[in-house]
Amino acid sequence: MNELDQKINTHFAGLVVRKDLVKTVKGNAIVPSYVLEYLLGQYCATSDEASIQTGIETVKEILRKHYVHRNEAGLIRSHIKEKGRYKVIDKISVALNDNADVYEAAFSNLGIKRVLVDSRTVKAHPKLLVSGVWCIADLEYEFSEEKDDSPWILSSLKPIQLSHFDFDGYVAARKQFTTDEWIDLLVQSIGFNPELFGKRSKLTQLVRLIPFCERNYNLIELGPKGTGKSHIYSEFSPHGILISGGEVSVPKLFVNNSSGKIGLVGYWDVVGFDEFAGKQKRVEKALVDIMKNYMANKSFSRGVETFGAEASMVFIGNTQHTVPYMLKHADLFDELPDKFYDSAFLDRIHYYIPGWEVDIIRGEMFSKNYGFVVDYLAEILRALRNHDYSDRYKEHFSLSSDLSTRDRDGINKTFSGLMKILYPQGEASKDEIEEILKFAIEGRKRIKDQLMRIDSTYPDVNFTYMDQSGQTHSVKTLEEEEYPHYYYKTAVDTATGIADTDSDPQGTPVAESFVKEQHLTFQENQKGISFDALFGAYLRGASKITITDPYIRLPYQVRNFMEFLETVVKYKSQDEEVTVHLVTSEDDFKAEQQQESFEKIKESCSAVGIDFSWEFDGTGSIQTRHIVTDHGWKILLDCGLDVFQNYEMNDAFTFANRLQKFRACKAFEVTFITNGIMSTNTDGQEHE
């Protein structure tokens, strides 16, 4: 275990589990993760390896004996008949037989129906009446010669979810973790390795949890396939349900007029709509209208009666085009069915997760470390629905008066949700509060900016906030920074064709004709960055370049350096030679491999007109990272050349592997200053 794992096990003993165990025990059982982790939490919630192995075998044995596979249902039914009583794990739903005035259960995998259930069980677990619940149940078999009697008897039923928890203990234990440690614990709890995610990407993952802890929260996520959009809503919590967007109807979602039966929003904390995108999908206008009313007012009416509900709505779907394509030709909601492509409906959404920023899930991204048993975290999040943290920023900041009531609601609810998730104690520093306030504003701004493209009646809005000194801070979306040429389009521009040109939206951050002293800041997950764009114009004409970076050790760091040398080659004249000298630190464990890599680089460089040399700093005192040229420029790098996030380095068929501008970058800054030597820029002018 690493240091964080030890800390997790100390403060949350018995409530955490090693996340790779789920895959170990799952086998071919088609059950949600929370069912498996419920069992693992009973037998493997420990850091003792021997106990874990014993627990794994116990859980496997329970699944082998009691989980009902559809193709073995006949065998299980036979067991029950022969033994008279048997325990099963299955998804159970209940319906009222009004002719006989009894409740009857149906077992999904076991394939039996009309199993009598007493009223007390139904009252204790009303979700049995809607879509079914995973349960551990004891079934008995008693044959009767009465024609209408079922031989199946339900002697006990226990939904698979936590029965109790200590909320105060949870809050007290949270105080023992730093914010970064806590975020990593939460990311591990949902199954991912936090080392492969930047801060912004971690927060994006955690926004997916807000519907579970915030009542009536409306969230949308559109992005490429394979990014894990639906996992949280199908596998994470027994309080959420995921349905296909094409299977939604007014009776199923809200209320059946003929029977008076309340739909999904009355029973579940979160209702997720999978495969929500798709222009070709047919949608009832009545459904959209009633959803608009519910999302705005937390109520819905059918006939003469009005009902209230607390379910949060989550809409997830796949996009077919790149972000610049959508911004140039339409907008970021363009993939939605026509009936949902409605400004009044979209205005009721509180946050838009930019799914194109989320990495496609790869095997190495899954965690092998400790995290909360998801059922425990699900119950904590549910308890937090009773709290309101939306005002916790007002001591330090205030929102722009430009913002509409819906803008404020969206920002406040997102801020409240992130506060509950990250700071359940309700206290955070000013900087921590500002970070999540900006994140909340950005997600709402993404919606409003697209609404201005769709509907010309929406006025321009300044998404800003003010601190106590009265200073105003503006917030931009990441795609606004990346593609400004396409982003600033309104409904009027779309109608008239203004700003619909073919200029490159991923223009170089440093223009060839405008090399100057400047400071550049880049956001996490920003794309369109390359060494050519950043450094090329500043390296042109240099005959000696010195790079100081203590971290050119690991294979990916050496590769970054090699790609920097490729930029040097591209920007030097063919008839000139350039000397490149690297000052770095020697690897404590793989110095021989590091030396070997540099020897290979030197040999390769000699063939393209570069004289490469290196030295190891023996003092270990390298503090700054920078590039210095002999024609007057010093480039300060806060991250060195390590500006890109993890990507598939060995996949020859991934463009991010071959072209830097398709990689997501880390948050970093670069400063270009002259070092007092006379320099000649690419515009031919001499500068001091």
Side-chain angles (χ1 to χ4, degrees), residues 12 169-179 182 422-425:
F12 289 102
Y170 173 83
V171 172
R174 161 63 183 96
K175 296 176 182 178
Q176 307 304 313
F177 293 78
T178 66
T179 297
W182 187 252
L422 300 181
Y423 311 102
Q425 70 273 29

Side-chain angles (χ1 to χ4, degrees), residues 48 55 74 169 183 268 286 360 378 418 433 452 479 514 567 586 599 602 633 677 680 688:
D48 179 68
I183 289 173
W268 299 92
I360 292 174
L418 284 174
I433 286 173
M452 290 167 57
E479 56 273 14
F514 200 57
T567 295
E586 188 172 29
E599 291 289 354
K602 181 176 180 65
W633 286 105
I677 301 173
T680 302
E688 190 69 42

Side-chain angles (χ1 to χ4, degrees), residues 545-552 561 564 580-585 612-617 621-629 634-642:
I545 301 168
T546 303
I547 303 99
T548 302
D549 186 339
Y551 297 104
I552 308 294
F561 180 69
F564 172 79
V580 176
H581 184 66
L582 171 66
V583 181
T584 189
S585 300
F612 172 59
S613 60
W614 71 92
E615 66 175 281
F616 293 122
D617 174 68
S621 60
I622 300 178
Q623 297 295 324
T624 59
R625 307 176 194 184
H626 49 72
I627 301 167
V628 178
T629 72
K634 185 172 187 178
I635 305 171
L636 304 178
L637 311 165
D638 67 338
C639 286
L641 298 177
D642 188 11

Side-chain angles (χ1 to χ4, degrees), residues 32 39 376 421 465:
L39 296 172
Y376 170 70
I421 292 167
Y465 64 94

Side-chain angles (χ1 to χ4, degrees), residues 19-80:
K19 287 295 168 170
D20 58 327
L21 300 183
V22 174
K23 188 179 291 186
T24 301
V25 302
K26 188 165 188 174
N28 61 348
I30 307 173
V31 294
S33 295
Y34 67 81
V35 173
L36 297 174
E37 290 202 18
Y38 175 87
L39 296 172
L40 289 168
Q42 306 293 308
Y43 301 99
C44 299
T46 175
S47 59
D48 179 68
E49 190 61 34
S51 299
I52 287 174
Q53 293 306 317
T54 302
I56 288 173
E57 293 307 314
T58 302
V59 172
K60 283 183 175 180
E61 183 68 7
I62 289 171
L63 288 172
R64 187 183 67 79
K65 283 186 175 180
H66 303 292
Y67 170 72
V68 180
H69 293 271
R70 288 181 186 271
N71 58 352
E72 296 178 353
L75 180 62
I76 299 296
R77 291 197 295 267
S78 174
H79 278 321
I80 301 170

Side-chain angles (χ1 to χ4, degrees), residues 567-633:
T567 295
V568 175
V569 171
K570 291 176 187 175
Y571 281 80
K572 81 173 190 65
S573 298
Q574 286 187 327
D575 56 355
E576 298 291 339
E577 292 187 344
V578 177
T579 298
V580 176
H581 184 66
L582 171 66
V583 181
T584 189
S585 300
E586 188 172 29
D587 192 303
D588 293 332
F589 303 102
K590 296 187 176 181
E592 187 176 333
Q593 182 178 333
Q594 186 183 21
Q595 287 266 19
E596 184 180 331
S597 296
F598 290 161
E599 291 289 354
K600 289 180 178 178
I601 290 174
K602 181 176 180 65
E603 182 180 345
S604 181
C605 282
S606 65
V608 293
I610 294 180
D611 179 15
F612 172 59
S613 60
W614 71 92
E615 66 175 281
F616 293 122
D617 174 68
T619 66
S621 60
I622 300 178
Q623 297 295 324
T624 59
R625 307 176 194 184
H626 49 72
I627 301 167
V628 178
T629 72
D630 66 341
H631 68 335
W633 286 105

Side-chain angles (χ1 to χ4, degrees), residues 14-166:
L15 298 170
V16 293
V17 69
R18 218 176 70 206
K19 287 295 168 170
D20 58 327
L21 300 183
V22 174
K23 188 179 291 186
T24 301
V25 302
K26 188 165 188 174
N28 61 348
I30 307 173
V31 294
S33 295
Y34 67 81
V35 173
L36 297 174
E37 290 202 18
Y38 175 87
L39 296 172
L40 289 168
Q42 306 293 308
Y43 301 99
C44 299
T46 175
S47 59
D48 179 68
E49 190 61 34
S51 299
I52 287 174
Q53 293 306 317
T54 302
I56 288 173
E57 293 307 314
T58 302
V59 172
K60 283 183 175 180
E61 183 68 7
I62 289 171
L63 288 172
R64 187 183 67 79
K65 283 186 175 180
H66 303 292
Y67 170 72
V68 180
H69 293 271
R70 288 181 186 271
N71 58 352
E72 296 178 353
L75 180 62
I76 299 296
R77 291 197 295 267
S78 174
H79 278 321
I80 301 170
K81 177 183 183 302
E82 296 303 325
K83 293 185 177 183
R85 183 187 179 101
Y86 197 74
K87 191 183 295 293
V88 298
I89 298 174
D90 201 351
K91 188 174 184 180
I92 302 173
S93 58
V94 173
L96 173 65
N97 182 340
D98 47 10
N99 291 325
D101 192 30
V102 293
Y103 289 105
E104 296 176 340
F107 287 65
S108 177
N109 289 355
L110 192 56
I112 60 174
K113 300 179 180 179
R114 297 182 56 232
V115 182
L116 293 181
V117 183
D118 65 83
S119 297
R120 286 175 299 176
T121 300
V122 175
K123 288 178 181 177
H125 310 292
K127 287 181 185 174
L128 289 165
L129 294 165
V130 185
S131 298
V133 176
W134 282 93
C135 302
I136 298 174
D138 281 305
L139 267 176
E140 297 179 4
Y141 185 90
E142 188 175 305
F143 181 74
S144 171
E145 296 195 5
E146 292 292 330
K147 181 179 178 183
D148 294 328
D149 284 357
S150 170
W152 305 105
I153 300 169
L154 182 65
S155 57
S156 73
L157 178 149
K158 181 183 179 183
I160 294 178
Q161 54 193 82
L162 200 69
S163 58
H164 67 279
F165 62 92
D166 178 7

Side-chain angles (χ1 to χ4, degrees), residues 234-501:
S234 62
E235 300 268 320
F236 176 76
S237 171
H239 304 303
I241 185 170
L242 183 70
I243 56 177
S244 171
E247 297 175 359
V248 184
S249 65
V250 172
K252 182 174 183 178
L253 193 57
F254 294 104
V255 64
N256 189 315
N257 272 353
S258 59
S259 66
K261 184 179 178 182
I262 299 294
L264 298 172
V265 297
Y267 294 92
W268 299 92
D269 291 351
V270 180
V271 179
F273 300 84
D274 198 8
E275 301 170 0
F276 187 69
K279 284 182 169 295
Q280 74 285 356
K281 292 186 177 177
R282 299 179 62 183
V283 180
E284 298 176 33
K285 185 178 184 302
L287 174 65
V288 180
D289 291 339
I290 198 170
M291 284 181 73
K292 284 193 286 191
N293 186 58
Y294 173 74
M295 291 164 68
N297 305 315
K298 309 171 189 176
S299 64
F300 54 94
S301 58
R302 294 277 285 161
V304 296
E305 192 171 359
T306 299
F307 302 89
E310 299 179 351
S312 295
M313 296 277 199
V314 178
F315 308 97
I316 51 182
N318 296 327
T319 52
Q320 305 298 321
H321 302 290
T322 64
V323 173
Y325 182 95
M326 289 188 286
L327 290 175
K328 178 181 178 181
H329 296 282
D331 54 74
L332 299 180
F333 288 116
D334 186 49
E335 304 284 356
L336 298 186
D338 289 342
K339 292 289 194 304
F340 284 114
Y341 189 75
D342 178 300
S343 59
F345 169 78
L346 298 173
D347 198 15
R348 286 156 166 80
I349 297 174
H350 298 123
Y351 198 94
Y352 188 145
I353 293 179
W356 47 86
E357 286 189 39
V358 182
D359 274 349
I360 292 174
I361 303 302
R362 306 185 301 274
E364 68 269 21
M365 294 170 70
F366 294 110
S367 175
K368 296 180 180 179
N369 299 92
Y370 282 83
F372 291 123
V373 175
V374 290
D375 193 44
Y376 170 70
L377 182 56
E379 294 304 320
I380 291 292
L381 293 175
R382 191 175 204 217
L384 283 165
R385 289 169 78 89
N386 296 321
H387 299 254
D388 181 13
Y389 291 178
S390 60
D391 63 346
R392 300 302 167 99
Y393 66 84
K394 294 182 179 178
E395 179 184 350
H396 305 289
F397 306 102
S398 59
L399 297 177
S400 167
S401 58
D402 270 12
L403 299 176
S404 69
T405 300
R406 284 188 178 144
D407 293 332
R408 290 174 180 273
D409 285 347
I411 294 167
N412 287 340
K413 288 176 81 70
T414 302
F415 176 83
S416 177
L418 284 174
M419 276 293 294
K420 292 175 186 179
I421 292 167
L422 300 181
Y423 311 102
Q425 70 273 29
E427 300 170 0
S429 71
K430 180 181 176 182
D431 289 344
E432 290 170 336
I433 286 173
E434 185 174 18
E435 181 180 35
I436 62 175
L437 178 62
K438 288 168 65 177
F439 205 71
I441 293 172
E442 182 187 342
R444 175 59 191 178
K445 184 180 192 294
R446 183 170 289 110
I447 293 167
K448 199 60 175 283
D449 286 352
Q450 303 312 303
L451 286 173
M452 290 167 57
R453 290 165 162 255
I454 296 170
D455 188 336
S456 60
T457 63
Y458 281 91
D460 193 13
V461 179
N462 290 318
F463 277 83
T464 59
Y465 64 94
M466 287 161 286
D467 58 29
Q468 288 174 308
S469 69
Q471 183 178 357
T472 299
H473 305 265
S474 63
V475 176
K476 291 185 175 182
T477 67
L478 182 53
E479 56 273 14
E480 186 174 1
E481 300 270 20
E482 289 182 295
Y483 314 108
H485 184 75
Y486 294 143
Y487 196 86
Y488 300 112
K489 260 173 79 172
T490 65
V492 175
D493 296 332
T494 303
T496 59
I498 294 174
D500 194 20
T501 68

